[in-house]
Each structure stands twice: as C-alpha cells, then as structure tokens.
Amino acid sequence: MKSAASSGPEGRPASARAVIQARRRASACTGIGIQLRLGRIGLLLHGQLGDARTADIVGILQPSTSGTGQNTVWYAQNVIFRGLLTPDPALVASGRDAMAHAILLSTGDGIQSDLSYHQHGDQLYSAGYGRSMLNDVAQWLYVLRRTSFAFTPTSVHDYTAWVLDGTRWMINGDHAEFNVFLNPAPRYHSNAERVLEALRRLDDAVPSQAGHFGRLRRNISLRSSDTGLSGHKYFWRSDFAAHKRPGWGVTVKMVSARTIGSEWRSSNPRNLNYLYWVPFGTTFIARRGDEYRNLFPVWDWSRLPGCTNPAVVASLDASNPYRQSTTFVGGVDNGLYGAAAMDMDKYGTTARKGYFCFDDEFVALGAGITSTDPNPVVTTLNQTRRVGRVVAAGATVRPGTTRTRTGTWAYHDGTGYAFFEPVDMTVRNETVTGSWADIATGQDPAPVTQDVFGLWLDHGAKPSDATYAYVVRPGVDQGQAAAYAQHLPVRLLANTTSLQGVRHDPLGISQLLFYSPGTATVRKGVTLAVDQPCMVILDESAPSTPVITVSAPQAPGVTVTATLTRFGTVTRRTATLPDGDRQGAAVTLGAPTNNAALRRPVLTSSEHDTSGGAHFLTDGNPNTRWSSAYSDGQWAMVDLLMPQLADAVTLHWDAAYAQAYAVEVSADAETWRTIHSTTAGTGGTQTLPLAVQPVRFVRLNLTKRHTKRGFSLRGLEVHTAPDLARGKTTTASSTHAAELAPANATDGQNNTRWGSDYSDPQWLQVDLGATTAIGTVKLHWETASAKSYRLQTSDDGDNWTDIHSTTDGRGGVEIIPVSADGRYVRMYGTQRNTQYGYSLYSFEVYGR
C-alpha cells in the first residue's frame, strides 16, 4: 500500500510518524484507549504497514497488564495485541490469563459475589465499565474459542454466570441499569442495545446457553417482553433490586452507607448534577422496554420514578452527592418475590421507603417524610414517554396540560396506578423539547422532542411525617386499571417509621420491613415478631409449614429470632445472617446454614418455561422449582463461584424426578468426580456424602425421567464441611501489631488477619481441643506468604510431627490434603516470599 503523503527520513509519511509520536507521548496518561486503537490498526493492516511502523505500534503497546476490573481487561487486550503483532505466544497467553483473572469474584473493582459489577469503589457499574467488560470478554471468548489460547472452562462459566444471572436481571428491553451519564452513541438507540453484538458472538462461544442469549437479544431488540427470567433478585453488594415477569419488569436502585450511588462524569451548561436523585429509590417500569428511550434530554430530573425528594436538581459541586449515612437499606427475596427498604436521609429530607413485588404488581410505601428544605417534596410514581391516553381519577388529561386530580387511580400506556384511599395526584401530559447538549457539554445539540407523561404526589414544602401508598399494575387496559383499583388484592398491613408491610391475600405472601424490633399482625390469628431490624417474607402459599425468609443488611452477622404465631401455635426460629461479602443476602429460616450453593448461579440444558427457571434451583425456597424440557438427556450445573470444602450434596426432587442420573463434582470444570449414580432413582430428598474436598461445580447428568414430564428439582444444596479451627484458641511465635492477632486467622472472617514479625522462622498454631482425625488444611495467605513451610501436628503442643512440607509456596489460597491425628495443628514458616512477615487471613482445619 502506497501513500501520496510526503515522506520523512525513514521513508514513512511525516504526518503518520507525527501521529504515532504524539500518541506515544500521550500514552503515559491516556494509555488504554490509544493502545486499543493502535493495536486494532496494527492487526487490521498487518502485512501492509511495514516493519518500522509495526515496531512503532508494538513499542506503545504494554508488555504486561495492570489496573483493576475492566481496566485490567483493556490492558490485557493491549498485551494480546502486542503478542499477536510481535508475534509472542507467551504474551497472548499472558493477556488471556489476565482477562480471565479480571472476571473472577472481587470485593474491589470487578464482579461481586452477587454478580453485580463495581468500579470506582463500591459503586454499581454494570452499565459503563461492566458493559465494556461484557463486550470485550465476549469478543475474545469468540476469537480464541477454537485455538490453543481458548479460555478454560472455569473462565467461560465465570463469565456466563455473570451475564445470565447478573447483568441480565438489570435489562428490561432497551433499558439497562445506568448510574453514570450515558448518552446513546449514533449507531445505538439505547444502553442495552450496545451488547447485542456480544450476545451474538456468545451463541458460538458458549453454545450450550445460546437459547438464553437469544431470548435476551429478542428482548433488547423489542421483539419480546421476556428476558427469559421470572423471579426476584436482590443484589446485596450494590443496593439494587430486580423483579421480572414475562410481561413486565421493574428495578429499584438505592444507596446506603456501604455503597456509592451514581456519579456524574460530564459537565453541562447549567452546572447541575442530573443524577443526584437516581440512587434514592428510582423505579424503572418496563413492559415493551422502550418506555424511557431518548427521554433524558427532556426529563424533569427533579422528579425521577420512585423517588421522594425536594423538587430540585442539585448543583455539580453539591457535597457528597452519591452517599448517605444510613445502613438499613437493602432487600429480601425468596427467588420468586421480594421487597426492598431504604432509610433515606439526604438534602435535609428523611423518609422510610419500601417496595414490595408480586406476580402482577408492585407496591410502594413511604412513611415519616420530613424535610427542612424549602422546596416542595414530591414522590414520583413515573415519568416516561407518553404513549396514548393519560387518565387520572376517571378523566382524561389532555395533551399540553398538567393537572391535579383527586381519586384512587390513574392510567397510561398499559399500566395502572392505584391508591389505597383517594389522594391528590398531579399528572403531566406535555410535549417537551431539549437536547443532549443541554445536559452534557459536547454532546449533540440537535433538538429532541418527546411527549412526556408524569405522575407524582406533592407533599408540600417542609412536610412533617407525611406518607404515601400506591400500587403499580402493568399489563392492563384502562377499564381493567379502574376495576383493579376498586378491588386491590394487596392489603396494607402497616406504613409507619418502624414497620412497613403488605400482604397479597390471593398469593398468601406477606412482606414486612421492620425498621425496629416489633410485631406485625399478618391476618386474623397470625402474627410475626422479630427481635432485630430486618426484612421478612412470610410465605403461606403452600398447605405445609410456612416459609420465612429474612435479611438484615445493616451489620455483618446479625442474629435474628422470628416468632410466628398461627392460631395459637407458636414457632420460633433463629438464624445468624451472612457476613463478609455476603452481608445483606437473605436466608430461609430453618434451612441449612452451611449451604454453599445458596443463591449461586445455575446453568441448565433447558427450562420448560420461566416459572421453572434455573435460578430457582438454588434460591433456598422449597416452594419454587427448576423444571427441564420434557425429554431425557438433560443437565444442570451449579457454580459456587469459588472452591468450597464440601462434605455432602443434597437434592430435593419434585414429583417429576429422575429415574437414572449421576451427580458429579469438580474444582475446575475440567476434572470431574462422580459421587453418585443410579438407574433406580426414588425421588424425595437425598443427601449424598463425599469425602471433604474442594468443590466449585456440581453437575447433574439426568438421563432418564420417571414421568412423562421433564426433570424437576425443588432445590440443590452443597454442604460445606465444618472448620474445626474456627473460634479455637490460636497462638503464634510473634504478632507484628495488635490488630494482627493470631485469633484473627481462626475467626471465620476474610477481612482480618494474623501477621508475624519480619523474620524467620515463625509459626501459628491452633488447639482443636481434643485429638482429631485431620484430612485437609486450608491456608488463605495475605500478600506476605510463606515460600517454605511445614504443617505439623501434636498431641501435647511440644512434640511435633510433620504432615506436609514445601519449599515452593505460591501464596493465595492453598488447600492441602493430609492424613493425620492430633490436637494441635501448626504452620511452621522457614522462608518468606516477601520482606515482610508471615500473614494469614485464615487457617482452617477439616476432618476426614
């Protein structure tokens, strides 16, 4: 290829040389994007650029990765580009491995334990950085899939679980969760549409899940309202709730002292922070999925759907715009239904806000609404594109008007809004013109005109202890909306600052938000009392024992006692709720506390319909089930997301059980071990023991049905073996600082650690209390790990026997099989991997 441009002394166009030199200088501060562009150029023009130009590009591309989360993926791509252009197979493999590591679970930037995505701290970023990770990793899964550089099965499952059981919950049609300012690029209509190409690639990269990817594509393309999900998921790491039914969906975005809300990353002519109120309870309601398309340039950003706030848009320099200090913010779900609570304290305004989701509707409650701000405080039910008639209290609201009406219902675009008693509602039906440049400097100044529907309640200026209560019923016509409001299937149980709750009588489901300990009357003869602030679902839908699901997000490891009184019969249950990176996750009272499969992602060969979705297999709810297609030869695989030392698997079969099947376990999805197989299955509940071993994946191979229907399971549990060292007396040769005490290694917490002095040798030992048969030791090292060490046992604490030794310790998490008996177990370190001491997050001992 020849160029007509003038040449410099090296025979290449001066303009091109100048561009490359300028890019090289700029790469020090903006290296990711420049390298990505040059790497792609180098590959596309490979063989035509010449050695000198190719060398220039290679010189800019990084030889190693850095960064966190999606930044790591970007840098990893640059390493792959360098490896392909050099060529250097080791660099290609290094970039692939860094990308695979970036999609592992993280408590920092990256994919979280609930399969949400964080970047820039504890901030939900499943759109933006998360969307870029979805697109970029899909590309390399596809490109490398049939080469020697293909991703490992574990990496493929990591990614697939995140897409299907994480990101998919946050998409409704062409609307995807957003928390930063996102404007549509010219070739896209929406946020969600940007992942369509990636989803098409995944059909070939992960063919076993092509059906799920296809359904999601059809939903994003507005060819179906069904994403393939039906149920409720609360993302406890991100203060985000998603509720799905085949014909509609709603999301609730919140913020607490544990999280960061939304960040505005653009300037604008008015110096306003348009996203200020987004994390304070926004509810995006979708039927078709295009309800909010291209609406942002004309939106009233002081009246966001689901929010209660002073009707003002804060300035960009407002202090702490995306944080609040309250901790009772979270959700509870049982896989099928769910509720969310937000204790709000922002902009001189406080409120207790609750959201309760069912099959056909969701309920929103507000209590204690008090403000010192001079602006009127409003609660907005919705603000969307106006489609068709707008009706409030039985009368049409004509285009070009905003009216306040008194009544019990309103209607617009196939959705009804109902109130438990007559209220004064303000309804907007206006045509509004704005532009993207109005809200973000440098964006398209072309006018955007939209018909806008809005519906809100005005609590007035400086309200004191105001309340609201409304029900949203998607999927109805005007007549059905009016009739629904006259015969609401949900009852208001309480709406105060201490308790909010509703009961859906036809479903037999009660959802309760206890902001303080107390008792709720659920129905005549039935009460539920709790001794801690918590969120509760009481499921009385089945004739058997009621199911109680509880969460308590405000602190780690909260112990809750719930007392259910039904017609004189008292049932009391106590549970200690999760801590660490699962703080805020819900548990079913009475269920096993050592179930590592709880709320973990499931991949399946098929689903009969969305009422038997894969995620129901691990939701802990005995009233839900996964059901396959009506044919033999099906499978289901649970991904625990990280290896767990397990000693049993329990299957809860539905009536349509397997006559012939096998259960396999694996630590890496490559090497499988069969722990049970039969051709004479009897259904029921089966607990299958296994020798304590690292398990990450559990796979069911279902070969023959007992009935003409498919295979159906109410639940699958993976039981972790007890850590015999947890809470036991632990001592050490030294302690570098008071906060690095030996007991930290056996307290069961992953965020505390023991640290020794900076010298060799050092040791840490635990007293098990009695001579014990020991089968496995697990060491979770901090960066300061041991290169050479021995594991030892003793009966008296003085005389020691080596049971394992190494001179090549790699750090990280080491799971070491042993076979010994002893009362004391010791890690004896003789050579460090760093200049620091020895440091362990955990020292765990398991029996055999």
Side-chain angles (χ1 to χ4, degrees):
M1 182 177 70
K2 297 181 179 180
S3 170
S6 60
S7 297
E10 296 180 15
R12 58 178 179 264
S15 57
R17 184 173 65 254
V19 168
I20 290 175
Q21 290 172 344
R23 286 172 172 167
R24 180 181 293 166
R25 290 192 297 270
S27 66
C29 58
T30 57
I32 296 178
I34 289 173
Q35 292 182 63
L36 286 172
R37 287 167 176 80
L38 286 176
R40 292 187 176 104
I41 289 170
L43 288 180
L44 289 170
L45 298 181
H46 187 258
Q48 301 183 58
L49 286 175
D51 292 344
R53 291 181 181 177
T54 299
D56 277 335
I57 292 175
V58 169
I60 291 174
L61 299 176
Q62 287 193 192
S64 61
T65 59
S66 58
T68 59
Q70 172 58 15
N71 287 318
T72 299
V73 173
W74 279 322
Y75 281 124
Q77 291 183 85
N78 293 329
V79 171
I80 292 174
F81 289 144
R82 183 184 179 106
L84 292 172
L85 290 171
T86 308
D88 185 342
L91 274 182
V92 176
S94 171
R96 176 209 57 203
D97 291 344
M99 198 177 299
H101 188 267
I103 56 178
L104 296 176
L105 290 192
S106 173
T107 55
D109 289 351
I111 299 172
Q112 305 298 301
S113 59
D114 60 3
L115 300 183
S116 61
Y117 181 90
H118 286 184
Q119 198 88 27
H120 297 172
D122 296 322
Q123 180 175 202
L124 179 61
Y125 237 120
S126 290
Y129 284 94
R131 185 187 60 224
S132 293
M133 178 178 279
L134 192 157
N135 286 332
D136 291 348
V137 175
Q139 171 184 304
W140 291 104
L141 285 175
Y142 175 80
V143 169
L144 301 177
R145 69 197 185 285
R146 286 192 276 270
T147 73
S148 60
F149 301 104
F151 284 75
T152 66
T154 299
S155 298
V156 174
H157 296 318
D158 282 335
Y159 175 84
T160 305
W162 169 58
V163 173
L164 292 179
D165 204 28
T167 305
R168 181 165 54 146
W169 284 95
M170 301 180 186
I171 294 174
N172 284 311
D174 68 17
H175 175 77
E177 171 275 329
F178 75 96
N179 70 314
V180 293
F181 175 64
L182 297 170
N183 60 293
R187 60 180 287 207
Y188 299 107
H189 291 97
S190 70
N191 292 336
E193 194 175 9
R194 301 184 190 194
V195 304
L196 284 175
E197 187 174 351
L199 293 174
R200 281 190 287 269
R201 287 180 176 141
L202 290 174
D203 281 353
D204 195 41
V206 194
S208 69
Q209 301 303 301
H212 295 303
F213 297 131
R215 292 176 85 168
L216 183 55
R217 287 200 307 273
R218 288 192 292 275
N219 176 252
I220 293 172
S221 303
L222 303 182
R223 291 182 286 144
S224 169
S225 61
D226 182 9
T227 61
L229 291 170
S230 182
H232 190 103
K233 179 165 183 173
Y234 182 69
F235 292 85
W236 60 86
R237 291 284 293 168
S238 298
D239 294 331
F240 187 85
H243 188 74
K244 296 278 194 179
R245 290 297 185 267
W248 68 284
V250 63
T251 57
V252 183
K253 182 174 177 60
M254 303 177 293
V255 63
S256 69
R258 302 177 300 277
T259 55
I260 303 170
S262 305
E263 63 178 9
W264 183 268
R265 305 191 69 196
S266 304
S267 61
N268 59 78
R270 298 184 181 89
N271 196 40
L272 295 176
N273 184 349
Y274 291 106
L275 295 185
Y276 189 90
W277 294 114
V278 166
F280 289 92
T282 48
T283 55
F284 288 101
I285 308 160
R287 290 191 310 107
R288 294 180 309 276
D290 62 353
E291 286 82 359
Y292 305 96
R293 174 178 285 185
N294 207 29
L295 192 64
F296 296 165
V298 302
W299 229 7
D300 180 349
W301 289 86
S302 69
R303 290 177 171 83
L304 303 187
C307 290
T308 299
N309 56 274
V312 62
V313 181
S315 64
L316 275 173
D317 56 5
S319 60
N320 292 321
Y322 316 120
R323 295 182 180 271
Q324 66 166 352
S325 60
T326 59
T327 59
F328 196 81
V329 177
V332 58
D333 76 85
N334 63 6
L336 191 58
Y337 305 109
M342 185 171 72
D343 183 6
M344 174 184 164
D345 185 357
K346 194 69 176 176
Y347 216 88
T349 305
T350 58
R352 299 281 168 85
K353 294 173 63 66
Y355 307 84
F356 311 84
C357 298
F358 300 99
D359 286 335
D360 298 322
E361 61 276 291
F362 76 89
V363 183
L365 302 181
I369 302 168
T370 301
S371 182
T372 58
D373 190 81
N375 294 285
V377 175
V378 297
T379 293
T380 305
L381 282 70
N382 210 350
Q383 185 184 182
T384 73
R385 293 170 53 236
R386 195 267 294 167
V387 178
R389 297 180 68 196
V390 175
V391 180
T396 298
V397 178
R398 288 179 291 182
T401 61
T402 298
R403 295 286 184 264
T404 298
R405 299 269 172 77
T406 302
T408 59
W409 66 279
Y411 171 81
H412 166 251
D413 190 22
T415 298
Y417 305 85
F419 303 91
F420 292 90
E421 58 185 25
V423 300
D424 295 333
M425 66 187 91
T426 301
V427 185
R428 184 187 192 198
N429 183 358
E430 305 271 6
T431 299
V432 185
T433 298
S435 75
W436 285 100
D438 291 338
I439 57 175
T441 301
Q443 300 303 318
D444 190 352
V448 173
T449 300
Q450 292 276 15
D451 296 328
V452 178
F453 161 76
L455 175 62
W456 65 87
L457 307 176
D458 192 337
H459 304 294
K462 298 185 177 180
S464 177
D465 207 29
T467 64
Y468 65 82
Y470 63 87
V471 186
V472 179
R473 172 65 165 93
V476 293
D477 59 29
Q478 181 179 328
Q480 291 168 328
Y484 179 84
Q486 297 301 311
H487 303 284
L488 292 175
V490 287
R491 285 190 293 113
L492 184 59
L493 301 180
N495 189 23
T496 70
T497 55
S498 59
L499 173 64
Q500 292 176 312
V502 297
R503 187 175 196 273
H504 198 296
D505 286 322
L507 295 176
I509 302 294
S510 304
Q511 300 184 13
L512 301 156
L513 308 175
F514 291 94
Y515 293 89
S516 58
T519 301
T521 299
V522 175
R523 58 192 175 102
K524 187 176 181 179
V526 180
T527 62
L528 181 70
V530 297
D531 66 344
Q532 295 287 338
C534 59
M535 307 168 190
V536 183
I537 298 175
L538 172 61
D539 183 352
E540 299 178 280
S541 62
S544 57
T545 304
V547 178
I548 301 174
T549 306
V550 178
S551 74
Q554 66 272 17
V558 175
T559 298
V560 174
T561 297
T563 303
L564 176 65
T565 302
R566 298 179 83 224
F567 315 113
T569 300
V570 178
T571 303
R572 183 174 292 106
R573 287 178 175 168
T574 298
T576 298
L577 302 183
D579 54 18
D581 65 356
R582 301 193 75 174
Q583 178 183 334
V587 300
T588 300
L589 298 188
T593 57
N594 65 338
N595 178 15
L598 185 64
R599 303 185 187 281
R600 292 313 195 192
V602 182
L603 300 179
T604 63
S605 54
S606 66
E607 296 165 6
H608 178 61
D609 56 36
T610 55
S611 67
H615 69 283
F616 292 131
L617 189 59
T618 58
D619 64 7
N621 184 352
N623 293 332
T624 59
R625 63 189 175 91
W626 164 65
S627 57
S628 77
Y630 288 10
S631 62
D632 292 332
Q634 303 291 330
W635 58 266
M637 185 178 70
V638 177
D639 183 353
L640 305 183
L641 298 179
M642 61 183 69
Q644 302 283 343
L645 287 171
D647 62 7
V649 173
T650 295
L651 306 177
H652 297 281
W653 292 101
D654 194 21
Y657 60 86
Q659 181 174 323
Y661 69 96
V663 182
E664 301 172 314
V665 298
S666 175
D668 57 11
E670 294 185 86
T671 302
W672 294 87
R673 179 187 173 196
T674 300
I675 66 167
H676 178 79
S677 64
T678 183
T679 58
T682 58
T685 294
Q686 294 178 288
T687 296
L688 311 172
L690 65 151
V692 176
Q693 60 188 279
V695 172
R696 173 167 170 179
F697 300 94
V698 177
R699 184 169 66 189
L700 306 181
N701 290 316
L702 309 168
T703 52
K704 186 176 181 180
R705 294 165 292 156
H706 176 69
T707 71
K708 294 181 179 180
R709 292 173 288 166
F711 300 94
S712 184
L713 281 155
R714 293 282 175 180
L716 183 151
E717 300 165 4
V718 180
H719 303 288
T720 55
D723 174 11
L724 304 178
R726 185 166 183 172
K728 299 295 176 63
T729 300
T730 308
T731 54
S733 54
S734 65
T735 300
H736 184 66
E739 66 272 16
L740 302 178
N744 290 347
T746 54
D747 63 1
Q749 304 291 319
N750 285 327
N751 57 356
T752 62
R753 62 186 175 94
W754 162 68
S756 77
D757 286 342
Y758 296 0
S759 63
D760 296 318
Q762 300 290 338
W763 54 262
L764 179 77
Q765 73 180 45
V766 59
D767 179 358
L768 301 180
T771 299
T772 303
I774 301 165
T776 304
V777 175
K778 178 180 177 182
L779 304 176
H780 182 182
W781 295 100
E782 196 252 353
T783 304
S785 61
K787 180 176 179 61
S788 298
Y789 70 91
R790 300 194 294 270
L791 294 179
Q792 302 172 315
T793 59
S794 172
D795 290 327
D796 57 12
D798 293 321
N799 300 293
W800 296 91
T801 300
D802 291 350
I803 59 173
H804 172 79
S805 65
T806 183
T807 58
D808 190 31
R810 304 294 178 88
V813 175
E814 294 185 82
I815 298 175
I816 304 156
V818 297
S819 181
D821 297 312
R823 171 174 173 171
Y824 299 89
V825 185
R826 181 166 75 171
M827 186 288 299
Y828 190 87
T830 55
Q831 183 180 356
R832 293 161 288 150
N833 268 320
T834 72
Q835 72 269 35
Y836 305 105
Y838 298 84
S839 185
L840 281 164
Y841 285 115
S842 66
F843 182 21
E844 302 171 17
V845 179
Y846 297 87
R848 69 174 192 274

